Amino acid sequence: MKRILITGALGQIGSELTLKLRDIYGADNVIATDIKKNDSEAAQSGPFETVDVTDLNKMVEVAKKYNVDTVMHLAALLSATAEAKPVFAWNLNMGGLMNGLETARELKAQFFTPSSIGAFGPSTPKENTPQDTIMRPTTMYGVNKVAGELLSDYYFQKFGVDTRGLRFPGLISYVALPGGGTTDYAVEIYYEAVKTGKYTSYIDKGTYMDMMYMPDALNAIVDLMEADSSKLIHRNAFNVTAMSFEPEEIAASIAKYVPGFEISYAVDPDRQKIAESWPNSIDATAAKEEWGFKYAFDLDKMTKDMVEKLRQKI
């Protein structure tokens, strides 16, 4: 990658990925775009353009202006928000993705977009979920992600666009606030632990979901994009994960670093239903074999770092 265009650059993943890529490839070579600018470091530390991803002409115009060779399409409405606004979610998630792919095709650029464990559904095997398995999601977000995986495959097979993607689990970060996802409780719990010493979870005890610390997720994106294209079989939907836990386990980990931390429950039936439709744990063997996926943070190592960083931040 030499010149990279990022959509949704001020979101949960984008706000950190933009800075990481600028460190690696140079600030002027990473063009951040989002629907509006803010005062964040991602918006201020290098080129920024206002782009609505539903506007194909604008996306292509900006991509050509900077002569990009890579498009990273992150703009999306997340799971819980998408359930509340399903028509808007379809138009943004699928229309934006199609425009990103068309932009990459026009410029003969490499393309990345994240998928999610949300692509799985209640009929998917719950334990050690295989790379290739039945996928019948019951949420609009999940439907968007499955369709997005297939559409990215289509652009590779039909037009030769070098498309790549990862099925992310819940992503945990101290930098960006949660953005309306079902796994966001695993971010909120750290903020509340540091601020108040207690947290009320909208996800019920015993509900396992896969998770990953943001530094590992960012490394996975770079490693996948720099991998040898000829070795990639599952181009647009690599399972990746670092840990699987339920609320009681994350609370116990936090209590090691925040003595007296307490968790209680007020279950949100909508987000709980989404969580129960997802796997408890997934198999990342294909990612390890095809491009050397690895992670550095387990639950306790992540908790230690999150608590330290949030104490400095808050």
Side-chain angles (χ1 to χ4, degrees):
M1 297 185 290
K2 294 181 176 63
R3 293 182 69 78
I4 305 163
L5 175 74
I6 305 175
T7 70
L10 306 185
Q12 185 185 18
I13 298 175
S15 57
E16 294 185 61
L17 180 62
T18 299
L19 299 181
K20 182 178 182 69
L21 295 177
R22 284 177 175 163
D23 283 342
I24 297 172
Y25 301 98
D28 291 341
N29 295 321
V30 179
I31 297 85
T33 76
D34 214 307
I35 197 161
K36 59 183 177 180
K37 193 172 186 179
N38 60 25
D39 59 0
S40 67
E41 190 177 355
Q44 304 294 334
S45 61
F48 181 89
E49 297 278 348
T50 301
V51 173
D52 179 343
V53 295
T54 62
D55 183 347
L56 173 59
N57 291 336
K58 180 66 173 180
M59 200 185 298
V60 172
E61 174 193 319
V62 171
K64 286 183 175 178
K65 175 182 175 181
Y66 291 93
N67 193 29
V68 303
D69 67 359
T70 305
V71 175
M72 291 194 166
H73 179 67
L74 306 179
L77 210 62
L78 300 183
S79 58
T81 312
E83 282 305 280
K85 302 176 179 179
V87 175
F88 178 60
W90 177 268
N91 291 336
L92 174 62
N93 291 351
M94 298 312 302
L97 175 60
M98 178 68 87
N99 289 343
L101 286 163
E102 276 295 299
T103 301
R105 180 163 80 104
E106 177 86 7
L107 277 83
K108 297 181 171 54
Q110 200 178 6
F111 183 83
F112 172 85
T113 196
S115 187
S116 163
I117 58 171
F120 299 123
S123 54
T124 301
K126 280 199 164 296
E127 304 296 339
N128 208 30
T129 303
Q131 174 68 42
D132 300 305
T133 187
I134 188 168
M135 301 170 73
R136 302 287 291 178
T138 53
T139 65
M140 176 54 74
Y141 179 71
V143 170
N144 293 164
K145 287 304 183 185
V146 172
E149 290 181 11
L150 296 173
L151 191 60
S152 296
D153 282 344
Y154 175 82
Y155 267 73
F156 170 66
Q157 294 157 1
K158 179 78 172 180
F159 304 118
V161 178
D162 184 1
T163 55
R164 307 183 185 198
L166 300 167
R167 279 188 198 129
F168 276 130
L171 297 179
I172 299 173
S173 168
Y174 60 86
V175 176
L177 291 170
T182 300
T183 57
D184 285 347
Y185 92 89
V187 180
E188 294 172 359
I189 193 171
Y190 286 109
Y191 277 86
E192 292 305 311
V194 171
K195 287 195 288 188
T196 69
K198 57 188 178 181
Y199 177 69
T200 302
S201 174
Y202 58 78
I203 296 295
D204 205 0
K205 65 179 68 175
T207 307
Y208 281 85
M209 286 186 280
D210 275 76
M211 302 282 179
M212 179 180 284
Y213 198 27
M214 188 64 80
D216 283 330
L218 301 181
N219 286 335
I221 294 172
V222 174
D223 289 348
L224 172 61
M225 294 304 284
E226 294 290 1
D228 182 348
S229 177
S230 67
K231 295 181 179 178
L232 302 181
I233 300 168
H234 302 89
R235 305 188 64 88
N236 296 299
F238 284 100
N239 283 354
V240 289
T241 183
M243 62 195 90
S244 177
F245 55 75
E246 51 94 16
E248 296 284 296
E249 291 175 352
I250 192 173
S253 181
I254 289 171
K256 297 175 184 177
Y257 304 96
V258 184
F261 174 73
E262 296 178 357
I263 187 170
S264 57
Y265 296 89
V267 177
D268 174 349
D270 293 332
R271 285 190 280 193
Q272 182 65 28
K273 184 178 179 182
I274 294 172
E276 289 175 357
S277 75
W278 292 350
N280 295 340
S281 62
I282 62 177
D283 178 6
T285 300
K288 294 172 183 175
E289 291 179 348
E290 293 177 37
W291 51 275
F293 166 68
K294 57 185 180 298
Y295 62 89
F297 288 88
D298 61 13
L299 176 56
D300 280 345
K301 188 175 179 183
M302 174 181 72
T303 296
K304 181 176 186 292
D305 197 60
M306 279 287 288
V307 171
E308 287 175 357
K309 296 297 198 307
L310 285 176
R311 280 177 173 152
Q312 295 169 15
K313 180 178 180 179
I314 293 172

